[in-house]
Amino acid sequence: MLNLAVAGLAAGGSYALIGVSLVLLYRVGAVVNFSQTFAATFAVFAMTDLLDKDWNLWTAVAAAMAIGIAIAAAQGFIMARLFRNSDVLIRSTVAMAMAIALFGLTVRVFHDKQRFFPALFSSLSRRIGDVLVSGQVVVALFGAVVLSVILWLILSYTRLGTILRAVAGRPVTAELMGVRTTRLVVLVWAVAGALTTAAIILVAPTRGSIPNMVVLVIPALAAAVVGAMRSFALTVVGGLALGMIESMALDWGFIGNYRPSLSFAVIAVVLLWSQRKETWSEAR
Amino acid sequence: MVRKWLPVLFALMLIAAACGDSDDDDGGTTETTGGEGTTETTEGGATDTTEGGATDTTEGGATDTTGESAGPAEGEPIRLGAVGSQSGVNIFPEPMQAAQAVFDRYNEQGGLDGRPIELIVEDDTDTAEGAAAAARRLVEDEQVLGLTGGGSIVDCTTNAEYYAQQAMNVIPGANACAEAPTISPVNTGPFIPTQHMLDFFLHDLGLERICFSALNVPLNDIMQGIIVPMWEEANGVSIHSYILSEAGEDLTPAVTKAANDDCQAVLLAYTEPDYQAYFQIADAQGLTDEIVYGMLTSGYSLNLLDAAGSTMEGAYANSEFEPFTGVTEDSPEELLDFIQLMEDTDQPLTSFGESGYIAANIVIQALESIEGEITKESVNEAFANVVYETELLAVPFEFTGFAPGVQPNLASKITQVQGDDFVTVTDWRFFPLEGAGGGAPTTTAA
Amino acid sequence: MKRAETAGAGPRLVDAMDVRRLALPTALLVLAVVVGFFAPGIWTFVATFGVVQALLVMSAGMLFGRAGLLSLCPLGFAGISAWVILWFNVHLRLPFLIMLLIAALAAVPAGVLVGGLALRVRGVNLAIATLAFGVAVASIFNRHPFPGTLDAVSRPLRPIGFGSNRMYFLLSVAILVAVGLALEWYGRRRWGRAWRAVRHSERATAAAGLSVPRVKLSACMVSAAIAGVAGGILAGQLEGALDVRSFNPILSLTVVAAAVMFGAQSLSGAAAAGIFAAIIPEAFRRFGWAIEYPQILFGIGAIQVLSQGGGGISSTFPWRRPVRSTSPAPTVREPVAAEAVPAGKGEPVLQISDLTVRYGSLAALSSVSVTVPAGTVVGVIGPNGAGKTTLIDAVCGFVDSYSGSIRLDGKPIDRLGATSRARVGLRRTFQQGRAIPELTVGDYVNLFVERPLSPAELDDLLGYFGLPPADEPIGFIDVGTRRLVEVAAAVASRPKVAFLDEPAAGLGGDESEMLARRIRGIPARFGCSVVMIEHHVELVVDVCSEVTVLDFGIVLTGGTPEAVLADPKVEAAYLGTDVGVLDDLVTERLAGTAVGDAGQEVADGRKAADGESAAAGAADTADEIAR
């Protein structure tokens, strides 16, 4: 049981890291970014092309990060300019449209042969119980925790964080106060893109194909829901917990056959519980 | 402003599309270079290695029964179709590309009575809708005379009934389904290789705690529900543990569970990308030294080996055809020809490619056996009656259709990853499916 | 379409609307016949997939466009129906249309599940939850393959006579049109229009006597059924050879994006989406371009359309644009009882005793007791934040818990929820206007009554309040008049008590006066008492027979308007220490002179007060940002 739980940290780490990006974008960008993993997948596949051309490993990784950030920043730019006044549902629908376009683009450009995804950080592997937690997973876990703390600190205690929250809550007012909302929104999308690209790079060796990577957005959303789309800490906890539960479910016989339903179960339980008192949609 | 022009743009596209001809594209198949260089190597070593009336047509000009001298065929094309997954989740471009290479070369050498074989490939986009549309386009729109060479998971399940209705006897390169009377693929999917690998574990390696780790796909219902129990009963053992992974899932839990459950051997029923991921994890965990892993035919791929590197060391892979690794000068001529052709046309060496190559050759022989006019009826009749002998298969290929217990190719060889190559470790193993399947099949270590 | 159902429209307009409503479906059928018989066979085959897509888009589009629920699992619903129809085809063959109906109904429980979620889970949370639900459903299909797909037994699914691609295409178009018309029909019923109400405001929906859970559930169930029809048609299209990957949850993203992009609330948007879905990929394919290019193009196109705002592509269609009414305005009627302020008679219709409402440690209301006699107009006044609206909220059932008791006609109603209280006769309007812009005046009013008002009754009601004709879309009406529409709707069902929350806000002097007369006449005309919150002091004085003053959640005083306004406590509560203005007003009133100047002064005073609070609000925001 313990072994399977530890084995689940691999997936859980990626859920946590991507979940944190989702929460960041929701809090500051007022959007549920269904396309979160799609740009990152494109970047990671581009990396394999560069590796094929015998680029140095870390240069290729850096290039992948740059590409992921660039695409995310472009998405943010479109959001900031064209959808400044839209509500969160419309923006989230736009994110869906972006996901579709990015998916088509990635498949078109890269889906012609099996690709080789390098395993980074192998020296950092650690053994817990009988299971070896690979270096990537260690970095992902560590990164998720550290980054969520950093982001929390920035958003809650720095001036930048306050400005970001103002942009999210009252974009027009913030503009009138001289805040350059477009730049900030692009910045936040870029940061979220960087986090997600890093996450996908780390899990790429165990994922292998385009659909397997983009589908990560769904359990990451579950993690973000556990964090109530607000708390980075709870998102990390939720992501890890979900990964471990999914893994342990392999031993749970009948339930193990329906493991993809676990994301839904978690989401439904968490939401119904947290929203149980919300009888009405409006405050008054 | 852009918005105003969008409808106009769409309207123009509609009109253009409506006026578009129906005799069109190859749907995006990569153009394979049918090179001139190929004829030389095949002629060099060409001898008739088959028995019976069939001539080995890969030799091109050497035993040319058409009576024409070698030169590119320029007559009226013989139009054949192929349904393949070229886009989508599970793509199999290799069978079509290999078949195309064979046909290209055949056409270069004069074709059939001066008529080239034209292969029209339709992409099924790995969806049932796409497969249904692709089949209908080929049969009704393009009006191809026969169907061959395709590679797809969805084609068989979606179109089995349609093909039967249309009296098309299809010889794809690789298809997988449960039942289809008028489809006889060269590569028949996972059922036979599974049993061979299980057999190998039990009888050759003497391992009893065998685990079954697979992707949760609908076909797995038959695997786990019918095929494996059949094997279990015939051999008096039961699978130690079932481990099902969802598509897109991280495989660490699956790898861990196999170790947890104390498996001695694990049969891995996955696709190429998943194999790479699996071995990455298993190797990192140090499990490849403790557990014996066996892959199905999709794992028998040099591309995969290249990508996976040393993580796959010691793993076994099933090959339904003559393995194309570890070849020497004494290897069968056809195998050398296949390897050379793939090299010349810049294609990777895969089992799926081999299936397309064989399928194309079967078709050529069938076509050449037609006396009289080449029509849809005569082509399909020829397909139904063809008996193709080749060293690449253990037994001659016959058109049997697809049903539990009835499949064209029942044999396999087992290979093992040693160093940077696959080494064949057994001879042809045969597997009767009904009844007495108990005893150890004939095998010699290579 | 009987004339009686088209509230307030003249005969010409009825015919025009009939033609408009049927024009599109007829055009679609004609187009289908043309395509079906003149296009090459493969086009009809591909076109049927477009019909399936149109139904899926309609399912998501009506749920979002009408009810405001963003649900990302249309393919999950479709998959369930496809599974069921195949099961029947294997085990219990019935006529195709019957099996299709059963299959569509089989998706409804899944709709109930989503609807149940939607009772508490809203907005993006619902979107995420339904996406995960789609994943769960797809994983079940992986484990339990579609019946009959893994053997080669030939089981015809298409109905006899419709087996060919052409005929099946025509059949599916006919089904699409039928579903679209059914949706349109239900959408014009009270419970169909209620979807729009829920989208707009759940509280307002309950206040109309409509059960919000029932409305949401019905919307989700209808959406599931429509998607179920799509699944059934797809099963027939593929002759039972379905594959689980056709129901991949990621495809639901495409469906929903298309639904929003095309504004597919009804047949026209859905059909447009379906046509594009059928034609574009096929056109690209003919050009030799890979399948991914339409995907990319679609994504870009959707972003483009969504950036335009509005209701998507279909809202630009001429027949979907709201049209101003051309009917004559309802005859303005004067109230019967012109002058006299109605006096209370008999038993109190509403008894509020010792009402206390707490939000955390803050007491919004403390031991408030108010008695509303039958047939009167009672005023509730007090400064901002006194708890007036909270009082209405509590009495009408919009507060989670309170202590004290409320009796209607002597019977306690504390256990009743908001919808039930509305149904037993407590109606209200809202401080922020909650009239629904997409509906016409008549449609909106009819939301509030069980049995739709006849055109004559409607004309009567609207004329009484001096409102535009019944077929005028509320979106064209100014804010002040919209509040009057709400008032009309509140009294339309002849409730026992109508709570009016600042009905005169946004009205000028003359209109206020007219409104005063109307409200005074409500008890006589509609048989109900009125409780009115107002800041227009002269309105209160003109209309109410008694007034209760609240401040900081307690009853400051009560009595006749003159007595209350003369009370120094009231002046102090409103104006601080400056009592001069109110003194003048009361003097003028008692002297019977015109209210004009004093009213203006009071209005100025109010504006000053409002200005203060607005400035305070801005300062708060600035503080937050600076912090």
Side-chain angles (χ1 to χ4, degrees):
Chain A
M1 180 73 91
L2 177 67
N3 284 343
L4 281 180
V6 172
L9 288 177
S14 59
Y15 302 164
L17 203 46
I18 302 175
V20 164
S21 329
L22 286 169
V23 171
L24 176 66
L25 268 178
Y26 183 75
R27 283 183 68 176
V28 184
V31 62
V32 175
N33 187 12
F34 290 103
S35 70
Q36 188 74 46
T37 46
F38 291 71
T41 304
F42 182 92
V44 170
F45 271 78
M47 184 176 79
T48 64
D49 255 3
L50 297 176
L51 289 172
D52 262 354
K53 295 189 174 61
D54 290 326
W55 278 41
N56 166 266
L57 174 64
W58 288 100
T59 318
V61 168
M65 292 292 291
I67 294 174
I69 292 174
I71 298 178
Q75 288 178 273
F77 184 72
I78 294 174
M79 280 291 184
R81 292 292 280 252
L82 293 180
F83 297 97
R84 176 176 307 175
N85 298 317
S86 310
D87 70 32
V88 68
L89 286 179
I90 295 293
R91 288 199 223 199
S92 304
T93 309
V94 172
M96 287 183 227
M98 288 176 172
I100 296 163
L102 284 170
F103 184 79
L105 185 66
T106 311
V107 173
R108 181 86 291 264
V109 176
F110 295 116
H111 204 185
D112 51 0
K113 63 176 180 156
Q114 178 57 21
R115 288 163 184 270
F116 166 52
F117 299 96
L120 311 169
F121 305 119
S122 340
S123 53
L124 293 176
S125 313
R126 292 280 173 272
R127 191 164 277 278
I128 303 181
D130 292 331
V131 181
L132 183 82
V133 178
S134 74
Q136 282 111 267
V137 175
V138 170
V139 171
L141 293 171
F142 189 67
V145 172
V146 165
L147 283 161
S148 61
V149 170
I150 292 178
L151 286 172
W152 169 68
L153 286 174
I154 291 181
L155 277 190
S156 308
Y157 293 108
T158 68
R159 185 160 180 278
L160 172 67
T162 313
I163 295 177
L164 286 173
R165 283 184 289 134
V167 166
R170 301 251 193 282
V172 178
T173 312
E175 281 266 356
L176 291 175
M177 293 180 71
V179 173
R180 299 194 188 239
T181 51
T182 305
R183 289 188 196 184
L184 284 177
V185 168
V186 170
L187 171 68
V188 172
W189 274 77
V191 169
L195 287 179
T196 313
T197 308
I200 302 266
I201 291 177
L202 290 172
V203 299
T206 64
R207 291 272 159 178
S209 67
I210 296 174
N212 289 4
M213 287 182 198
V214 298
V215 80
L216 274 171
V217 73
I218 296 178
L221 281 170
V225 161
V226 172
M229 304 299 280
R230 267 202 55 81
S231 157
F232 295 116
L234 280 180
T235 303
V236 171
V237 168
L240 294 178
L242 184 61
M244 292 200 284
I245 293 175
E246 277 181 348
S247 176
M248 293 193 286
L250 271 177
D251 264 352
W252 295 346
F254 159 71
I255 296 181
N257 293 335
Y258 302 99
R259 269 169 303 127
S261 317
L262 286 171
S263 282
F264 172 65
V266 166
I267 291 175
V269 165
V270 167
L271 283 177
L272 283 174
W273 175 255
S274 69
Q275 306 285 316
R276 67 193 181 284
K277 294 218 169 83
E278 305 294 320
T279 323
W280 306 106
S281 52
E282 319 103 316
R284 290 216 88 182
Chain B
M1 200 193 66
V2 174
R3 177 135 184 273
K4 270 198 304 197
W5 293 104
L6 266 179
V8 178
L9 189 64
F10 283 139
L12 284 175
M13 276 171 48
L14 289 182
I15 297 172
C19 299
D21 290 338
S22 37
D23 73 304
D24 58 317
D25 51 325
D26 294 337
T29 333
T30 43
E31 270 304 306
T32 54
T33 53
E36 295 78 22
T38 56
T39 40
E40 284 166 34
T41 46
T42 53
E43 271 173 322
T47 43
D48 193 336
T49 55
T50 62
E51 284 147 17
T55 353
D56 191 339
T57 54
T58 57
E59 294 152 70
T63 51
D64 198 337
T65 54
T66 62
E68 304 257 340
S69 52
E74 280 161 20
E76 189 194 329
I78 302 172
R79 306 170 78 240
L80 302 177
V83 173
S85 299
Q86 297 172 300
S87 60
V89 177
N90 301 295
I91 57 168
F92 298 102
E94 297 98 346
M96 284 91 69
Q97 287 167 7
Q100 185 72 61
V102 172
F103 289 139
D104 281 346
R105 186 176 61 181
Y106 184 71
N107 296 338
E108 283 292 317
Q109 294 160 1
L112 183 68
D113 288 333
R115 299 178 65 183
I117 297 179
E118 185 185 341
L119 186 67
I120 302 169
V121 179
E122 284 287 341
D123 180 12
D124 66 12
T125 71
D126 193 39
T127 59
E129 295 92 338
R136 283 156 180 79
R137 274 192 215 104
L138 287 172
V139 173
E140 296 171 33
D141 250 16
E142 306 277 0
Q143 311 223 318
V144 295
L145 303 177
L147 291 164
T148 182
S152 162
I153 296 185
V154 281
D155 179 33
C156 189
T157 42
T158 310
N159 294 318
E161 206 177 303
Y162 178 70
Y163 290 148
Q165 275 171 13
Q166 301 286 328
M168 298 295 270
N169 294 317
V170 186
I171 306 181
N175 254 202
C177 54
E179 226 180 293
T182 61
I183 305 180
S184 242
V186 176
N187 178 327
T188 54
F191 301 142
I192 302 297
T194 299
Q195 293 166 88
H196 281 301
M197 191 56 75
L198 291 174
D199 239 29
F200 179 73
F201 284 153
L202 182 64
H203 296 288
D204 287 48
L205 300 181
L207 303 170
E208 286 193 348
R209 291 199 304 279
I210 304 175
C211 300
F212 182 82
S213 186
L215 260 185
N216 188 12
V217 289
L219 270 184
N220 193 58
D221 220 43
I222 298 194
M223 275 272 249
Q224 228 177 303
I226 302 179
I227 305 291
V228 173
M230 215 161 51
W231 180 86
E232 285 175 318
E233 204 184 299
N235 288 279
V237 287
S238 53
I239 297 290
H240 186 64
S241 156
Y242 283 99
I243 305 166
L244 277 188
S245 318
E246 300 294 330
E249 207 179 43
D250 184 75
L251 288 171
T252 315
V255 174
T256 309
K257 183 161 160 69
N260 254 12
D261 291 353
D262 231 5
C263 303
Q264 288 175 317
V266 182
L267 176 82
L268 300 173
Y270 290 98
T271 58
E272 223 179 295
D274 292 326
Y275 282 136
Q276 187 202 340
Y278 193 99
F279 280 104
Q280 248 248 359
I281 302 167
D283 183 61
Q285 307 279 347
L287 293 171
T288 42
D289 295 327
E290 299 168 15
I291 300 180
V292 175
Y293 292 105
M295 298 179 285
L296 301 184
T297 313
S298 47
Y300 181 60
S301 149
L302 285 173
N303 218 18
L304 171 65
L305 189 52
D306 249 351
S310 60
T311 60
M312 270 170 61
E313 180 70 30
Y316 293 96
N318 183 90
S319 174
E320 283 145 279
F321 320 120
E322 181 63 38
F324 47 77
T325 49
V327 291
T328 64
E329 287 155 353
D330 301 325
S331 294
E333 303 303 335
E334 279 181 79
L335 184 64
L336 295 171
D337 177 61
F338 164 68
I339 294 173
Q340 188 65 53
L341 183 61
M342 291 298 104
E343 213 170 299
D344 290 338
T345 56
D346 227 0
Q347 296 181 41
L349 282 177
T350 63
S351 210
F352 290 123
E354 204 173 343
S355 71
Y357 172 89
I358 298 172
N361 285 318
I362 295 172
V363 159
I364 289 175
Q365 178 179 303
L367 289 176
E368 290 188 343
S369 75
I370 297 177
E371 299 155 359
E373 249 197 274
I374 309 236
T375 65
K376 184 172 152 195
E377 290 70 27
S378 63
V379 165
N380 281 289
E381 202 190 314
F383 282 9
N385 295 324
V386 68
V387 177
Y388 181 73
E389 293 196 30
T390 164
E391 285 184 325
L392 301 181
L393 296 173
V395 291
F397 174 91
E398 286 183 43
F399 193 97
T400 61
F402 215 121
V406 178
Q407 285 171 332
N409 183 12
L410 295 175
S412 288
K413 285 189 181 181
I414 307 288
T415 68
Q416 186 183 30
V417 174
Q418 294 175 10
D420 61 356
D421 205 0
F422 288 92
V423 171
T424 311
V425 294
T426 70
D427 200 350
W428 288 115
R429 312 162 68 83
F430 298 88
F431 202 87
L433 273 164
E434 280 134 349
T442 50
T443 166
T444 48
Chain C
M1 270 269 304
K2 294 192 282 255
R3 196 184 154 192
E5 289 175 3
T6 323
R12 275 183 304 113
L13 206 54
V14 169
D15 293 341
M17 279 160 66
D18 268 338
V19 168
R20 264 174 51 173
R21 287 216 175 97
L22 290 178
L24 173 73
T26 319
L28 274 179
L29 285 171
V30 168
L31 178 66
V33 169
V34 166
V35 169
F37 284 105
F38 295 106
I42 191 63
W43 278 102
T44 56
F45 184 75
V46 170
T48 312
F49 290 124
V51 174
V52 171
Q53 192 72 6
L55 282 165
L56 288 171
V57 169
M58 193 193 294
S59 159
M62 65 67 46
L63 196 54
F64 181 63
R66 293 178 190 242
L69 301 173
L70 191 65
S71 158
L72 298 184
C73 59
L75 282 164
F77 296 144
I80 293 174
S81 292
W83 205 99
V84 167
I85 204 175
L86 286 182
W87 188 91
F88 274 90
N89 200 35
V90 169
H91 294 106
L92 180 63
R93 258 213 109 210
L94 299 169
F96 175 74
L97 288 175
I98 306 269
M99 288 198 295
L100 183 62
L101 183 64
I102 296 177
L105 291 175
V108 168
V112 170
L113 176 65
V114 171
L117 276 177
L119 295 184
R120 288 292 181 270
V121 179
R122 299 182 173 89
V124 290
N125 284 332
L126 184 65
I128 298 173
T130 47
L131 181 63
F133 178 65
V135 169
V137 169
S139 80
I140 296 177
F141 295 147
N142 251 336
R143 278 306 284 165
H144 304 279
F146 289 100
T149 49
L150 291 179
D151 58 41
V153 175
S154 169
R155 297 186 188 88
L157 182 53
R158 301 181 185 182
I160 300 184
F162 292 95
S164 73
N165 286 336
R166 285 182 208 283
M167 295 309 291
Y168 192 71
F169 165 66
L170 290 175
L171 175 67
S172 55
V173 172
I175 295 176
L176 168 69
V177 168
V179 170
L181 287 174
L183 178 65
E184 211 58 37
W185 174 83
Y186 191 78
R188 290 202 294 278
R189 304 262 84 74
R190 182 181 179 218
W191 289 95
R193 269 180 273 118
W195 293 338
R196 296 201 189 274
V198 150
R199 175 177 206 197
H200 198 66
S201 160
E202 290 183 21
R203 286 174 183 248
T205 309
L210 295 159
S211 157
V212 170
R214 178 177 157 174
V215 171
K216 286 191 179 179
L217 279 169
S218 73
C220 292
M221 287 159 68
V222 168
S223 171
I226 296 178
V229 173
I233 293 182
L234 182 64
Q237 165 76 337
L238 292 172
E239 302 274 19
L242 279 174
D243 181 62
V244 62
R245 269 165 300 185
S246 300
F247 303 99
N248 186 340
I250 302 291
L251 292 174
S252 284
L253 293 184
T254 311
V255 168
V256 172
V260 180
M261 172 189 179
F262 282 90
Q265 306 179 16
S266 9
L267 185 57
S268 48
I275 292 174
F276 271 79
I279 293 184
I280 301 295
E282 185 66 16
F284 271 77
R285 207 197 51 84
R286 281 183 184 256
F287 279 121
W289 290 7
I291 188 77
E292 289 91 21
Y293 288 110
Q295 279 178 327
I296 299 173
L297 186 72
F298 169 74
I300 297 175
I303 296 174
Q304 225 296 329
V305 170
L306 289 171
S307 71
Q308 305 293 325
I313 290 179
S314 77
S315 64
T316 65
F317 297 162
W319 60 88
R320 290 290 305 272
R321 296 216 177 101
V323 172
R324 298 212 71 142
S325 164
T326 53
S327 311
T331 326
V332 175
R333 289 163 230 265
E334 285 295 322
V336 172
E339 289 300 326
V341 170
K345 32 189 188 261
E347 290 297 312
V349 64
L350 185 68
Q351 186 99 32
I352 304 168
S353 313
D354 228 10
L355 183 63
T356 302
V357 176
R358 290 187 171 279
Y359 294 120
S361 55
L362 171 70
L365 293 175
S366 297
S367 294
V368 169
S369 296
V370 179
T371 304
V372 179
T376 60
V377 180
V378 170
V380 176
I381 65 174
N384 282 333
K388 308 187 291 295
T389 302
T390 310
L391 179 63
I392 298 188
D393 281 345
V395 173
C396 291
F398 290 95
V399 160
D400 277 340
S401 67
Y402 58 78
S403 63
S405 92
I406 301 174
R407 289 169 177 274
L408 184 67
D409 272 344
K411 292 191 285 271
I413 57 165
D414 304 293
R415 287 182 181 279
L416 296 183
T419 307
S420 311
R421 293 192 195 193
R423 286 193 190 142
V424 299
L426 290 180
R427 294 297 172 106
R428 66 168 295 180
T429 65
F430 288 86
Q431 196 174 14
Q432 319 95 325
R434 294 244 161 96
I436 302 172
E438 296 100 52
L439 296 180
T440 63
V441 172
D443 281 344
Y444 177 73
V445 170
N446 275 324
L447 271 181
F448 288 73
V449 290
E450 301 271 337
R451 181 193 57 82
L453 298 178
S454 72
E457 288 171 317
L458 204 49
D459 200 67
D460 206 38
L461 173 69
L462 299 178
Y464 179 75
F465 285 98
L467 293 172
D471 55 350
E472 175 85 335
I474 293 180
F476 289 118
I477 302 174
D478 67 271
V479 172
T481 315
R482 288 192 205 187
R483 300 178 73 95
L484 285 186
V485 173
E486 284 186 70
V487 173
V491 298
S493 63
R494 293 170 197 261
K496 299 234 166 72
V497 182
F499 290 82
L500 307 181
D501 202 337
E502 301 195 31
L507 294 182
D510 282 345
E511 293 167 313
S512 285
E513 229 182 273
M514 195 185 82
L515 177 64
R517 292 203 295 278
R518 296 300 188 272
I519 295 180
R520 240 184 358 231
I522 284 179
R525 197 174 218 284
F526 297 99
C528 65
S529 293
V530 176
V531 176
M532 187 174 76
I533 294 178
E534 249 313 326
H535 282 296
H536 277 72
V537 175
E538 73 277 13
L539 192 65
V540 172
V541 167
D542 266 350
V543 167
C544 306
S545 59
E546 51 187 89
V547 172
T548 303
V549 183
L550 290 183
D551 195 15
F552 292 116
I554 58 169
V555 175
L556 212 50
T557 182
T560 64
E562 294 79 5
V564 160
L565 288 173
D567 191 328
K569 283 187 297 189
V570 176
E571 291 176 15
Y574 259 110
L575 300 172
T577 53
D578 185 350
V579 300
V581 175
L582 264 184
D583 264 345
D584 289 343
L585 170 65
V586 174
T587 314
E588 303 244 21
R589 173 53 49 204
L590 290 173
T593 52
V595 193
D597 295 332
Q600 186 59 42
E601 271 176 283
V602 174
D604 283 342
R606 246 176 22 121
K607 273 200 223 104
D610 281 350
E612 267 173 28
S613 58
D620 283 347
T621 317
D623 272 344
E624 272 178 26
I625 294 181
R627 235 180 284 130

